[in-house]
Each structure stands twice: as structure tokens, then as C-alpha cells.
Amino acid sequence: MISFDLLANTELAFERPAIDWHAAAPELVLLAWGALVTLVDLVWLEKARRFIPTLTGFGFLAALIPVVTLWADSDALPRQMFDGAYVTDELALVFKGLFLLSAYVVVLLGANYLNDGNYYDSEFYQLISASVLGMLIMASARDLVPIFIAIELVSIPAYLMAAWRKRDLKSNEAGLKYMLMGVFASAIMLYGMSLLYGMAGSTQISAIGEALTGLSDRPLVILGVLFTLIGFGFKVSAVPFHTWAPDTYEGAPTPLTAFLAVASKTAGFVALLTVILIGFESKSELVEPFMWVLAAATMTIGNLIALRQTNIVRMLAYSGVAQAGYMLAPLAVYSANPELSRSAVVNYLLIYAAMNLGAFAVVIIAARKTKSGEISSFGGMFQYAPGLTVAMTIFLFSLAGLPPVGGWLAKWRVFESLLFFGEGSTAPSLAGVLLAVLVALNSVVAAYYYLSVAKQMWFMPAVNDDNSTIKIPSALTIALAIAVVITVVSGVTNLMPELSTADFGLGQ
Amino acid sequence: MTDFLNDWGITLMVFTPLVAAFAMMLLPGKPDIIHKQVALGASTLTAVWGALLLFNFDYDSASVMQFGVDRSWIDVVNARYDVGIDGISLPLIALTLFVVPLVILYSWNHIPKPGNAKAFLILTLILHTGMLGTFVARDLVLFFVFFEVVLLPMYFMIGVWGGEQRLYAAIKFFLYTLFGSALMLVSFLALYWLTGSETFNMAQLAELVSTSDIALGTQVLIFGGMFMGFGIKVPMFPFHTWLPDAHTQAPTQGSVILAAVLLKLGTYGFIRIALPILPDAAVEWAPWIGLLAVIGIIYGALGCLAQTDMKRLIAFSSVAHMGYVMLGISTLTSFGISAAIFGMVAHGLITGMLFFIAGSVKDRYHTLEISRLGGLLVQAPRMGWILGFTTMASLGLPGLAGFWGEFPAILAAYNPGGGLSQPLFRVYMVVAAIGTVLAAAYLLWLLQRTAFGNPSEEFADNPEITDASKLEYISWVPFLIMIVVLGFVPGLIFDVADAPVSEMAEVWVVK
């Protein structure tokens, strides 16, 4: 406060922009809570260690409260700050809710994992809080600068956490690979962003959108647009920018892998949606073919490589790549109906979060007994852990897109947006139809490897005939229950489609 | 009571098995008997709900959807919980309600290896809900969901409780059907956008297609997507290869349900969805469907003659029999389609029964190699007679149910509707008729080599080989009765199906 008073007396008077404290509350609560966790750790040291995970989890839930109150006060939405650079609209709230809830589940997954491995864990939770803070910012950012800050805030703690199992070479590899690739991607993206800024004279996405409308496809425009998209392509692990994902996923602590595969990927998609649907709205002729190729390559190559995996985490990594391909697909035809494409992507992200976190939860639980990540180690689980087997089967079938569990509705909406055509035309675009058929074929390929896990669990005998049961800690049970309930409910109710059609404020 | 049935009848019928399945999940796995009782009770209760519906069904207006319930469901995609029963779905619902309790009863002491009655029966009940749901759905999205729900339990049934090649058979069954339904889904959505409708209701879509000006080429493509979805499920030649494997490897109960009901989901899809919504495209496709149908008839029959395994032989006979059903549908006449509906029910009863016997033979002889069997009539005379009776029904002996499925279908090909080429369909007719001769050949051959003669030495004094048990009787006799009843009173089905089918076939009547 003092510094403001001093400034007020000088020529360089700085007028503090109006801050909507309610709109900023989720971020502030999380920030304060993160500081609190750090303090608790510093003051009580070892004594606090046992409570840190729980405390962090509560922090995410506490940050969820303002999200809910903001949602309840829906008349005031969208709330804008900083000249429209920071917008809290319905969709941002949906994403914030998703990030916080996934983070809570990840903390539940991590609690026992880190403790058992005897790694530093207080710091882990502080870092994860920072990363989630970046995601919350990402959901509201409508300006290149906050978007970039958010991406880095999401990623940098994740680089550290990926290498958390420091006595394990694979974990070191995971962290290093992730960091090098991530930094490389950031550099490309930043270059693209600087070109966009150069053309538009503003970092606001909406201003860039307006500036691009009048410009022809000069090389400068093409480079600016594509470099920015490529940067996000790394974040969502789209082919050919996916190469970091399997190694990082395999080497990183599994709870963090779940976090990367769900929350971090969603953050990348949020940025993509914002930039494409607001900034590059007029450049659909340039963006759509690029996204088409990206989506087609991502789903096909992801699936084909996933077929060959014997390690469950690597398999889920490649399946996650393929799933990203399905999510990219609606963006290949977004000009026909931006709202529909957007809600198809959002719907997929919401359902994907539940089913994929669930699958990772089962992997973590199973590894407590088998100490192995091989798919063959799931053998005979139906005999000794029928409940866990049923849960995993639900997640696998959902990932494969089979009714009645969640995944089918996610795919349905993707198909819906691909086959849409508006007033002006008499048939869906050829690009859309071809991509839809490709998604259909890929779903069949994907079903094979998802089912091969189910096959191990149901049809095969247990490894070494070891039919002892698995003890599931209560934190993991809660995580599993949340994931199962959401996965099942989202397949047979209107909940996720409804949330995915939330309003998307464009900023100014 | 009527009000109650109107509002809740179908919902109760469809979801009773599912609720029971959830309840069973919460019960401990042992003792088995609780699960058997719950499962049988639930399927019987389902049959009671169904029976109430059937008794209160207004048979004079069978072409109208009755007991309809239309509630909002997934609004954002315009999918509604929209169900109803008419004369086309009624026979198939009745078939499902009839078969499942008997299958569960048969399971009382026939839980296949590796046991676990709880899981087995839960899967059976989920299947039950899926099948009934498919037959009552009037909304394409709802239909799709139920259509897919049946995949999961059947996959596990084959994979866990199946024979030696079960893993291969299970995944093959799954991927084939999934491939078809993925393309079907694309077709559904293309139709949705093309009609510009805000609905997936089948009747409304049919109306919209008839009034809109969708290019015929587009309609033909959309029909093609549906053809893949339904045709693989039927299965039609050349997509039939999953069927012999799935049937042969599935446990007895699985084979029975697969043959009796699951295959019908495909043919039902043609009659309920593909034909009424896209009648013009159906005319374009009909010659090809007819061609594949008669190829299926002949190919299936020749396939049967080449089999050495009793169960596999019955499986191939399914390909042939479903060929008749598809031939009936491809004629685009009310006569042919009614015959197809009859054929579905008849095939369900007869082939289901054959699989029961095959299962019981396997329990006793531990093999189904036809060359090692023989003398069933000597060792287990009653079972031998039942086998004889069922093969007679299967080859289409007049007076039994099989006849009314095949003969009118062949006859209908004499004069196809929709301006289809008469000479072509008459050729189909002749080929299909030859198929019946082949059917007689392979079925009598089967009967001769398994039931007649003296038991082979290896089984001659085997004490395991006993006649049909009381439980087997209880679960089989209803099948036999229905085969005779439908043989003598075919009107039971024809009368119900006639009105809606005639209404549907009106578009193809050549003026």
C-alpha cells in the first residue's frame, strides 16, 4: 500500500486496475492455501508430513467454493478484469471446477504412493498447487501474456515433479525429456506469439482476431498462427509432437502421470480453444486443414503404437495421445459451427478426465500388490479383486467409447460436430465425413488394446497363482469412487453435455 | 392398472433385470443359490411385467406404438428416453421374455467352468436389459446405447466361461460388432443433420426423410452404414465369420441367448430402422441384400456339411437360417417381412433348443465331435427324440415353427415389391429352395450320426451318459411346446405383425 501512495505523488501515477475480488477468489484461495502449506511444512517439518496431502486436498476443495458461488451468481457472468485480458465466464468456471477436482483426486492418488516410496512429499504438494494455480489462470486468460504465464506455471512444477523419483534413472529421464521438449515448445510458441503481436499490435486474443480478419495469408500470418498452434500441440501431446509423453509418463511417479495425462492436457486444450475460437476465428482456411492432419495423425498413430505396448502406463500414454486426436477432431471443422465444436471438445475433456483418472487409480492400486507396470501383471484380478476389476472394466469400456458408460457420449458429440452442416450446404463437408469415418475405425482399433487389459483381468490366471487380495487405502477408495460415479453418470445423463455448452465469454 | 402400465410398464420390464444385477453385486458371492434365486426371480418378474403388457396390448391397433413413454434424457444431443411397443417388436420382446428365465433355470446346475454363478448371472441379467431395451427403443440414440450394452456381457460370457479358443472368439465377436456399430453411428448422425431435425425419433425421422429432398445417393450411403451395423450382427455373408467361433466357444447359455435373441437385434434393426426411414435406398440395396442372403443360405448349408463339430454345425445353420430372414426382408413386401419376423422367432426357439441339446451332449460326452458320437437314442432316448424333433423343426417341416419362417420368405421372393426385378428374385427363390434341400441333408445327417446307430465303444458303458434330467426337461419343454404351437397357429405372430408391416410396406407396393 505504501508504494502506491508514493507513486500517487509522482508524475508516474499508476492507477491500479479494478479487481473483481470475487472473480479472482479461486486463484487467491489456492495461492493463500499453497503459502499456508509451505508455512506448515517449514514450521513443523517432519511432524507435519502426514497431514500435508490431506491439507493440500482440502485446499483444492476450498478453492472450489468460490467457483461454486461464482456459478450460482450466474447473472454477473462473464466477469472481466484488466480490460478483458482475464475473463471469468461459465466455461472458465467449468474448467476451474474440473482442474480442482482432478487435482483433488490426484492428491488422493499420491498420498500413499509418495509415502511408500519415501520421497520428499511436502514439496511435491506445494508444486502441484502451483501447477493447478497455473491451470486456473489458463481457464480465464484471454491474452497472450497470461496464457504464456499460465502455461509455464503449469509446466515448470511438472518438470520437477516428473523427476521426483530421483533414485530411479527412468524418472530422471522423464523429467529431463519433459523439460527439454517443453522448453523447446515454449520457444516455438513464443516466437509464434511474437509474430502475432507484431501483426496485431496487441496481445489481447480478441484484438488479434480482429487484426487477422483483414489480413491475407501472408507467410508472416501463417508462421504466427502455426507456430502458436504447434506450441500447444506439444502440450496436448499431438502427433508428431508427442514423443515426450510415453517416456515421461512411464518414468514419472504414477500419480503425476495421471495429473499430466488429464489436468495438464486439459490446460493445453483450454489454450487451444481460446486461441483458435477467438483469435483465429477468421483463419479457418488455414487452421482447419492443419488441425485435420494433426487430429488424423494423432488418433491413428497413437492407436497403432498403443497396440504394441506391454506396459500399462505406456499403453495409457499412447491411448491418451489417441484420445487427444479425437478431441482435436472437432477443431478441424470448427468454422461450420464453433459452438458445437467447442462443446464437443469440452464434453470430451470432462468425461476423459473422469475415466482416465479412474484408470490410473486402478493402475496405482494394482501396482501396490504386483509392483509391476506390465499389462500381464493384471492377470486373474477378477479372481482376487472383483470390485477393482469391475471398476477398471468400466474405465476401459468408457475409454473405448462403449455405452452405457461415459466415453460413448464423448465420441458421439465428436461425431455430431464432424457431421454437422449449416444452412448454406446440403451435405456434411467431405473433410468432416472422412474424419468421422477415421474416428470410427480408430475406435475399433482402440477397443482391441483396451480389451486386452480387460482380457488379462477377467480371463487369465493370476501371476504365480498369487490370489491374495489387495488392500486399498481409504484415500484411493475415495478417488476410485469419484471416478466411477462420474464415469457412469456422465454416460446416461445430460450432465456433461449440459456443462459443456456453458457460455464462453469472448472478452471485449 | 392400465394407466400404471402406460406410464411405467415398459420401464419396469426393461430395468428390473438391471436393478437385480446391481443388488446381486452387493451380495456376497457364496452361496450360489441366492444368486440363482435372485436372478430367476428377477427374470420371472420381468416376464410378469412383460406378460401384463402383452395382455393389455391392443391387438386391433398393432401398428400403433403402445405404452409409449417419452421423457427428456440427454437434451443437448436431442436424445430422448422414448420407448414403446408395436406389432413388430412385440413378438421379439415375447421371445426374449420367454428365453431368458429358461436359460437361467438351466443354469441352476449347469454353471460352466470356472464357476462363479454370481458373475455369470449378473451378466445374463445385464444382457436381458440390453436386449429388451433394444426392442422397445423408439429413439435412435437410446437404441444405439442398448444395442451396444449387450456386447459387454456377451464378451465376458464367451471369454470367461467359453471353450478352448474362447479368447480369440470373444475378441473377434467384439471387434466385428463394434466395427459395424461405429459405422452405424455415423449413419445415424448423418441422417440427423440431413433431415435438419431436432429429434432422433424413428417415426419422425422417417417422415422427415420422405418429405425432404435428400439425394438418393446420400440415402444409399447412409443405408450402407446401417447395413454394416445390422448386417454384421445378423450376420450376413461375408461378415458371418465371427459367428461360428462365438457360438462354438460360448458356454451353452451364451450360445442359446446369442442364437435366440442377439442375432435378431440385427434383423430387427433392418425392419425397425433402415427400411422405414430409408425406403428408397432400401430399393437400391434390396437386390444386393437378397444376393448376400441366398449366398448365405447356400454357403451356410455347405458349411454345415463340412463340419465335424456338432455345435459348429448348428452355428453354420444359423447363417443359413438368417439368410431366409434376410431374403424375406429384401423382398420389400409385407408378406416377406412378416415371414422374416416369424423366422426370427422360430429360429430363436429352434436354434436355441439345438444349442441346449448340444450343451447337454457336451456335458455327458465331453466332446461334440460328430464322428465320435452316435446312438444317443439308445443311451439317452428322450434326449435323442428331442434332438430329432428339433432338427425336424429346423429343416422346416410343415406343422412346426420352422416352416413358417422359411416357406413364406421363399414364396415372397416370387413377387418382390418396390419395383424390384422379378426374374432376379425368382432366381433367388429357386436358390433358396435348393437351400432347404441342403438343410434337410445336413440336419438329417447330423441326426443320423449322433442319434442313430449304436453308441461307439468309448462311450458304450459310460455311466455319465444319462437321459435328460428333470431340470433340463423343465427348461426345454416350453421351447418344444412353443415350436408346435407356432407351427399350428402361425397367426399368433402373423396377426400381430401384419398391420404394422403392411403399413410400412405400402411405399413399395407397385401401383
Side-chain angles (χ1 to χ4, degrees), chain A residues 16-28:
Chain A
R16 195 192 59 166
I19 291 180
D20 181 346
W21 295 104
H22 193 185
E27 288 84 344
L28 293 177

Side-chain angles (χ1 to χ4, degrees), chain B residues 230-296:
Chain B
F230 300 139
I232 288 177
K233 198 95 171 180
V234 170
M236 295 193 68
F237 179 88
F239 312 117
H240 66 280
T241 58
W242 64 267
L243 179 112
D245 291 312
H247 264 327
T248 315
Q249 301 304 326
T252 306
Q253 292 90 330
S255 302
V256 172
I257 294 182
L258 199 57
V261 188
L262 243 54
L263 303 186
K264 278 71 196 178
L265 299 184
T267 40
Y268 176 77
F270 275 108
I271 298 179
R272 170 102 291 157
I273 296 172
L275 296 190
I277 296 183
L278 298 164
D280 298 334
V283 175
E284 301 293 315
W285 273 88
W288 303 103
I289 294 178
L291 178 68
L292 292 178
V294 291
I295 292 179

Side-chain angles (χ1 to χ4, degrees), chain A residues 229-240:
Chain A
L229 291 181
I230 287 172
F232 296 135
F234 274 99
K235 295 297 170 195
V236 303
S237 63
V239 173

